[in-house]
């Protein structure tokens, strides 16, 4: 089980090239990956996304990449001479029209937009990706490890809460066993009290008992709740991402619990239902962070 919250960082230095990759994530209904990298590395964005998707199933993930190349290997300086001439021509004309000295220098012209660029050779781009992917994988390893540690803590907490829920369901089941018999006795006493007689119409009593049993029986709800608990326990041990499935199960557990609460008229069961709903709500909040 993995959490959707995590952080991973890795740094790599090779032959004057420095790479720094940071990955962080928070809860999200789907998978949303944002890559922030230097302009000259944006062509690798798709590869970076695919590398992360191979290891991560869900979450809002931000990837930050810093890159610096202090070497000269694989780099060449390209000067756009035609554009530089246009700059010189326009600036010289501006100086003449306004009677101001131009004094243009080549170094000043080279700093103008798009005049001088550093171009990477084809072999160099392949080298950069190989090195960046190594740094990226190290960062993903750290990222996934942190998500797994956090996921394990959530798993332990969910397991404890699920045991409490299972115990409450067993108690409710035991308490519901004698509800029908209690109702028959109370109904008989009430009839005798109202009618001032010891004679009770057994046929009418049987009809009322059937109606009550149909309205108040929580056996099916308890059976389904126990089934949901069993499925939940299996998913906790699953190797696959299970956050969405757990979310669905919790909704079903909450629905069955509400039905039990609405059917039961016994105070002890009502109190247990309140405790059940509290535990289920706590679980619902926890699983929002599960991948």
């Amino acid at each position: 089980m993995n959490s959707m919250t995590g952080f991973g960082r890795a740094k790599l230095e090779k032959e004057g090239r420095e790479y720094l990759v940071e990955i962080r994530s928070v809860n999200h209904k789907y998978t949303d990956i944002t890559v922030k990298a230097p302009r000259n590395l944006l062509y690798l964005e798709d590869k970076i996304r695919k590398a992360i998707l191979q290891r991560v199933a869900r979450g809002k993930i931000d990837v930050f990449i810093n890159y610096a190349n202090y070497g000269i290997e694989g780099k060449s300086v390209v000067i756009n001479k035609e554009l530089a001439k246009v700059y010189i021509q326009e600036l010289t004309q501006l100086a003449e029209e306004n009677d101001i000295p131009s004094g243009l220098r080549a170094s000043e012209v080279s700093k103008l937009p798009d005049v001088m660029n550093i171009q990477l050779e084809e072999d160099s781009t392949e080298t950069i990706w190989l090195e960046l992917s190594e740094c990226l994988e190290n960062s993903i390893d750290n990222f996934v490890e942190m998500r797994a540690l956090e996921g394990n803590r959530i798993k332990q907490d969910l397991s404890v809460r699920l045991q409490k829920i299972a115990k409450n369901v067993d108690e409710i089941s035991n308490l519901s066993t004698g509800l029908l018999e209690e109702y028959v006795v109370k109904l008989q006493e009430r009839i005798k009290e109202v009618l001032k007689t010891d004679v009770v119409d057994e046929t009418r009593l049987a009809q009322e008992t059937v109606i009550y049993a149909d309205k108040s029986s929580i056996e099916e709800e308890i059976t389904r709740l126990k089934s949901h608990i069993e499925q939940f326990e299996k998913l906790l041990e699953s190797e696959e991402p299970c956050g969405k499935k757990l979310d669905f199960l919790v909704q079903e557990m909450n629905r069955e619990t509400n039905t039990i609460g609405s059917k039961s008229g016994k105070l002890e069961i009502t109190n247990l239902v309140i405790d059940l709903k509290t535990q289920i709500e706590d679980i619902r909040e926890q699983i929002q962070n599960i991948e």
Side-chain angles (χ1 to χ4, degrees), residues 64 92 100 111 127 139 170 201 211 223-224 229 285 288:
F64 302 91
T92 300
I100 57 175
K111 296 176 183 179
T127 300
S139 182
D170 288 338
D201 186 342
I211 293 172
T223 300
R224 286 194 289 267
I229 292 170
E285 291 179 0
Q288 300 308 309

Side-chain angles (χ1 to χ4, degrees), residues 234-286:
K234 290 180 180 179
L235 285 172
L236 287 180
E237 302 302 325
S238 173
E239 296 294 329
E240 300 297 324
C242 59
K244 291 183 178 180
K245 293 180 180 179
L246 290 177
D247 188 43
F248 172 76
L249 270 180
V250 166
Q251 292 179 40
E252 293 301 306
M253 291 169 67
N254 192 56
R255 184 178 292 111
E256 303 300 342
T257 302
N258 285 334
T259 304
I260 291 173
S262 65
K263 284 186 174 183
S264 174
K266 195 167 186 176
L267 180 60
E268 292 88 339
I269 292 180
T270 300
N271 290 335
L272 287 169
V273 165
I274 292 173
D275 191 41
L276 264 180
K277 288 177 66 66
T278 301
Q279 294 293 341
I280 290 173
E281 178 60 23
D282 289 341
I283 287 178
R284 189 194 66 80
E285 291 179 0
Q286 284 280 48

Side-chain angles (χ1 to χ4, degrees), residues 95-199:
E96 292 175 353
E97 290 176 355
N98 293 276
D99 194 23
I100 57 175
S102 61
L104 286 174
R105 295 182 179 180
S107 59
E108 295 173 342
V109 176
S110 68
K111 296 176 183 179
L112 295 171
D114 299 324
V115 172
M116 186 167 68
N117 299 284
I118 297 177
Q119 186 173 4
L120 299 176
E121 298 174 1
E122 286 300 321
D123 292 340
S124 177
T125 57
E126 183 64 27
T127 300
I128 287 175
W129 168 240
L130 290 174
E131 294 172 351
L132 176 60
S133 62
E134 180 182 344
C135 186
L136 178 63
E137 287 299 325
N138 291 337
S139 182
I140 295 174
D141 288 341
N142 296 331
F143 174 67
V144 170
E145 181 181 358
M146 182 175 177
R147 283 164 64 106
L149 289 172
E150 179 66 21
N152 188 54
R153 285 193 287 267
I154 295 175
K155 176 182 174 182
Q156 292 175 2
D157 180 76
L158 291 177
S159 181
V160 171
R161 295 183 185 279
L162 203 62
Q163 290 174 14
K164 293 179 180 179
I165 288 175
K167 182 180 177 181
N168 283 358
V169 172
D170 288 338
E171 291 182 24
I172 290 173
S173 179
N174 293 333
L175 287 169
S176 67
T177 303
L179 285 179
L180 188 58
E181 290 78 6
E182 290 180 12
Y183 173 74
V184 173
V185 172
K186 289 180 180 179
L187 185 59
Q188 285 177 328
E189 293 176 352
R190 182 62 176 161
I191 290 173
K192 290 177 182 179
E193 180 183 346
V194 172
L195 299 180
K196 307 294 183 181
T197 179
D198 291 334
V199 179

